[in-house]
Amino acid sequence: MKLIETEAELRETLSQMGRKEKSVGLVPTMGCLHEGHLSLIRRAKQHNDIVVVSVFVNPAQFGPGEDFEKYPRNIEKDCELAESAGADIVFHPDAANIYAPDASTKVEVEGEITHKLCGVARPIHFKGVATVVSILFNIVQPDRAYFGQKDAQQAVVIKRMVRDLHIPVEIVVCPIVREADGLALSSRNRYLSGEERKEAVSLSRGLEAAVECFSTGAGSRNAFSLKKVITDEISKKQLAKIEYVEIVDAETLADTSFIEPDRPALAAVAVRFGNTRLIDNKILRDRG
Amino acid sequence: MKLIETEAELRETLSQMGRKEKSVGLVPTMGCLHEGHLSLIRRAKQHNDIVVVSVFVNPAQFGPGEDFEKYPRNIEKDCELAESAGADIVFHPDAANIYAPDASTKVEVEGEITHKLCGVARPIHFKGVATVVSILFNIVQPDRAYFGQKDAQQAVVIKRMVRDLHIPVEIVVCPIVREADGLALSSRNRYLSGEERKEAVSLSRGLEAAVECFSTGAGSRNAFSLKKVITDEISKKQLAKIEYVEIVDAETLADTSFIEPDRPALAAVAVRFGNTRLIDNKILRDRG
């Protein structure tokens, strides 16, 4: 496996690997790889000749006061893990290699889908994500790119961007990987204290309770009732501060007060433990 | 030569033409082709195996009250002309083929370079241009794309976008083609009355006077003097209403009061004759 740090070297290497006759899968990450990322890499390896894992902590998607500086970085460990999961190339550019000093071009998915849910607390986040993903797509020119369902809103935004801009990349969204007790894997879980870690299980428990209520209970298509089920579970925890609990259309992210029988639906939450912000979601009904 | 109206058919046709082993040149136009466009097509034909001319009057780059509805359209004539200049494909999509009803993704080059000069009177114009050019690049995936120096600001904006987003397309900017009396060719020239047409020559005359003043005259590096030379020439005309006369850095479009010896410089004007808005420019000093 090769560790590559510049765009020129990446293009040259892909060319030498005969990329014109091969399929390329891209797994964009911010590093600090865990089993969730590795599941994306394995899936990419199944369906592509060449797998590129990008490791880039993108400054443009962090707002002021967010954890850009302290975000965990460990490229040696990331390379080991990526290789073990089947990566052919880890692309680890410097920020100066991605953004010119006077770079001013942004890709923005406008409207509700980037301004609700995580967009409320993180108003510039999805603009930073859409821009850097566009850049990575232009550099790597993959046939397929892999994203985790953990960042459900990000996946919807990227799919919308790809559709709107006619980007010739297939977007593959892979299931959330969870700890034994249900906590969704996240690089930010390591910020949690022992007590916070215990309480953090309430996110997946609350979501699971909503799934059960939706699939079995009476009144289960009422979004208000489902949100209450989730909120009740999380609110029991002393250190948990709910940022949002929402039931939305899984494709458009439109609010829904009563889940339509023919639409995919998603329950999504964001909860703060101290300075640590966790998100999680479960699909209530999948797309047909 | 093939006339193609959908993205799917275009991708299929390019694939059948063996595009993987060939170079592709794209000439994006809004149709109503004139000798300026044809010079781009001929240039593209010299350097590429396959030349695609897109003909798409892009609604997203027209503001309210602009000439989107009356913009001249004649696809049969455009096909004849494009073929005569060497085009292999004319891509003429419907707006519905380019923009989904709920499309909301925009590509924007932020900052001064899109908000000055034509950006003052046309505040959404360059966002519409950057977005549609991104889309056309994603559909055609050309090796090179050709733009006219006539739209000098557009060329600078597209180059900036390509650099910032790492788009793997070489941008080639070709010289302005002029009528015998100096008027820059434009699809909008046909809007001019006989009297307006006569007076419109003042744009190129004013710019030419500035070029002479810059290259020979005393005080010629003073932007104020150069602007005055241009303004004096155009102001003589009764029907001409100056929108702007500017001397800017040809690469960054930064204002300059005194042209630096080591920077490329551009004189640019926009003038209205009734409802018709004409632009023109001349390079005072080229890059290196």
Side-chain angles (χ1 to χ4, degrees):
Chain A
M1 199 213 61
K2 293 190 179 75
L3 171 63
I4 293 180
E5 298 188 331
T6 69
E7 174 177 357
E9 195 190 342
L10 181 71
R11 289 191 193 274
E12 177 60 24
T13 303
L14 285 171
S15 169
Q16 283 171 1
M17 291 171 84
R19 65 112 74 238
K20 271 196 183 179
E21 302 308 321
K22 291 182 174 166
S23 58
V24 177
L26 171 66
V27 183
T29 81
M30 297 212 300
C32 190
L33 302 185
H34 53 60
E35 200 51 40
H37 301 107
L38 302 186
S39 73
L40 303 179
I41 299 171
R42 287 187 203 108
R43 175 85 170 266
K45 191 63 183 174
Q46 280 170 19
H47 296 100
N48 299 275
D49 300 317
I50 303 171
V51 174
V52 179
V53 176
S54 62
V55 173
F56 180 60
V57 184
N58 173 34
Q61 71 191 66
F62 289 80
E66 290 188 356
D67 57 344
F68 173 67
E69 293 299 336
K70 81 164 181 177
Y71 197 87
R73 291 158 170 90
N74 189 343
I75 188 65
E76 290 78 15
K77 183 77 180 154
D78 287 341
C79 285
E80 272 175 42
L81 290 167
E83 181 165 24
S84 75
D88 300 289
I89 293 171
V90 167
F91 178 50
H92 179 54
D94 197 76
N97 212 265
I98 297 296
Y99 300 115
D102 60 344
S104 67
T105 307
K106 296 294 190 321
V107 179
E108 184 167 20
V109 181
E110 299 180 343
E112 201 188 35
I113 87 169
T114 50
H115 291 99
K116 65 190 309 179
L117 302 176
C118 291
V120 175
R122 309 189 75 187
I124 65 152
H125 177 67
F126 291 109
K127 192 167 170 175
V129 168
T131 302
V132 81
V133 169
S134 295
I135 291 171
L136 291 169
F137 284 180
N138 284 325
I139 292 176
V140 180
Q141 296 177 261
D143 297 281
R144 300 177 191 86
Y146 296 80
F147 294 87
Q149 173 63 19
K150 163 78 168 13
D151 299 307
Q153 189 174 12
Q154 172 177 276
V156 170
V157 168
I158 296 294
K159 279 185 173 178
R160 174 69 71 92
M161 173 185 84
V162 162
R163 186 204 67 174
D164 286 354
L165 297 182
H166 301 242
I167 298 173
V169 176
E170 182 190 340
I171 302 304
V172 182
V173 181
C174 301
I176 298 176
V177 177
R178 297 179 180 279
E179 301 280 6
D181 68 354
L183 179 68
L185 294 199
S186 165
S187 306
R188 291 185 169 102
N189 290 348
R190 67 183 58 195
Y191 299 155
L192 299 169
S193 70
E195 195 53 37
E196 289 170 341
R197 171 64 188 83
K198 279 183 211 156
E199 294 196 5
V201 74
S202 61
L203 280 72
S204 58
R205 289 228 178 112
L207 289 164
E208 192 51 40
V211 169
E212 274 177 43
C213 178
F214 177 72
S215 54
T216 63
S220 60
R221 284 163 60 198
N222 181 307
F224 182 79
S225 316
L226 293 168
K227 286 196 263 190
K228 187 166 183 312
V229 166
I230 303 168
T231 306
D232 285 352
E233 186 70 35
I234 301 171
S235 303
K236 284 182 201 161
K237 306 298 177 184
Q238 225 177 346
L239 305 171
K241 289 206 174 97
I242 292 176
E243 191 181 289
Y244 66 75
V245 170
E246 297 287 357
I247 309 290
V248 294
D249 185 291
E251 278 181 7
T252 64
L253 303 185
D255 285 319
T256 178
S257 53
F258 190 78
I259 298 169
E260 301 294 334
D262 58 341
R263 293 294 308 168
L266 184 81
V269 303
V271 179
R272 286 183 190 275
F273 291 91
N275 291 324
T276 305
R277 184 175 176 279
L278 301 183
I279 58 173
D280 197 357
N281 67 85
K282 293 214 178 193
I283 293 166
L284 295 173
R285 185 195 289 117
D286 220 336
R287 189 78 184 123
Chain B
M1 200 213 62
K2 292 189 179 75
L3 171 63
I4 293 180
E5 296 188 334
T6 68
E7 173 176 359
E9 195 190 341
L10 182 71
R11 289 192 193 274
E12 178 60 24
T13 303
L14 285 171
S15 170
Q16 283 171 0
M17 290 170 85
R19 65 113 73 239
K20 271 196 183 178
E21 302 308 321
K22 293 183 174 166
S23 58
V24 177
L26 170 66
V27 183
T29 81
M30 298 211 300
C32 189
L33 302 185
H34 53 60
E35 199 52 39
H37 301 108
L38 302 186
S39 73
L40 302 179
I41 299 172
R42 286 187 204 107
R43 176 84 170 265
K45 191 62 184 174
Q46 281 170 18
H47 295 100
N48 300 277
D49 300 318
I50 302 171
V51 174
V52 179
V53 176
S54 61
V55 173
F56 180 59
V57 184
N58 173 34
Q61 71 191 64
F62 289 80
E66 290 187 358
D67 57 345
F68 174 68
E69 292 299 337
K70 81 165 182 177
Y71 197 87
R73 292 156 170 93
N74 188 344
I75 188 65
E76 289 78 17
K77 184 76 182 156
D78 286 342
C79 284
E80 271 174 41
L81 290 167
E83 181 165 24
S84 76
D88 299 290
I89 292 171
V90 167
F91 178 50
H92 179 54
D94 197 76
N97 212 266
I98 297 296
Y99 300 115
D102 60 345
S104 66
T105 307
K106 296 293 189 327
V107 180
E108 183 166 21
V109 181
E110 299 181 342
E112 201 188 36
I113 87 168
T114 50
H115 291 100
K116 65 190 309 178
L117 303 176
C118 291
V120 175
R122 311 189 74 187
I124 65 153
H125 176 68
F126 291 108
K127 192 167 171 175
V129 168
T131 302
V132 81
V133 170
S134 294
I135 291 171
L136 290 169
F137 284 0
N138 284 324
I139 292 176
V140 180
Q141 296 177 263
D143 298 280
R144 299 178 192 85
Y146 297 79
F147 294 87
Q149 173 64 18
K150 163 75 168 14
D151 299 306
Q153 189 175 11
Q154 171 177 277
V156 170
V157 169
I158 296 294
K159 279 184 174 180
R160 173 70 70 92
M161 173 185 84
V162 162
R163 186 204 68 176
D164 286 355
L165 297 183
H166 301 241
I167 298 173
V169 176
E170 181 190 340
I171 302 303
V172 182
V173 181
C174 301
I176 298 176
V177 177
R178 298 179 179 280
E179 301 280 6
D181 67 356
L183 178 68
L185 294 199
S186 165
S187 306
R188 291 185 169 103
N189 289 348
R190 68 183 56 195
Y191 299 154
L192 299 169
S193 69
E195 194 54 34
E196 289 169 340
R197 171 65 188 81
K198 279 183 209 156
E199 293 196 6
V201 73
S202 62
L203 279 71
S204 58
R205 290 229 176 110
L207 289 163
E208 192 51 38
V211 169
E212 275 177 43
C213 178
F214 177 72
S215 54
T216 63
S220 61
R221 285 162 59 198
N222 181 306
F224 181 81
S225 315
L226 293 168
K227 285 196 264 190
K228 187 166 183 313
V229 166
I230 302 168
T231 306
D232 286 352
E233 186 70 36
I234 300 171
S235 304
K236 283 180 203 162
K237 306 298 176 186
Q238 225 179 344
L239 305 171
K241 290 207 173 97
I242 292 177
E243 192 180 288
Y244 65 75
V245 170
E246 297 287 355
I247 309 291
V248 294
D249 185 291
E251 277 181 7
T252 64
L253 302 185
D255 285 319
T256 178
S257 54
F258 190 78
I259 298 169
E260 301 294 333
D262 58 341
R263 292 295 309 169
L266 184 80
V269 304
V271 179
R272 286 183 191 274
F273 290 92
N275 291 325
T276 305
R277 184 175 176 279
L278 300 183
I279 58 173
D280 198 358
N281 67 85
K282 294 214 177 194
I283 294 167
L284 296 173
R285 187 196 288 117
D286 220 336
R287 190 77 185 126

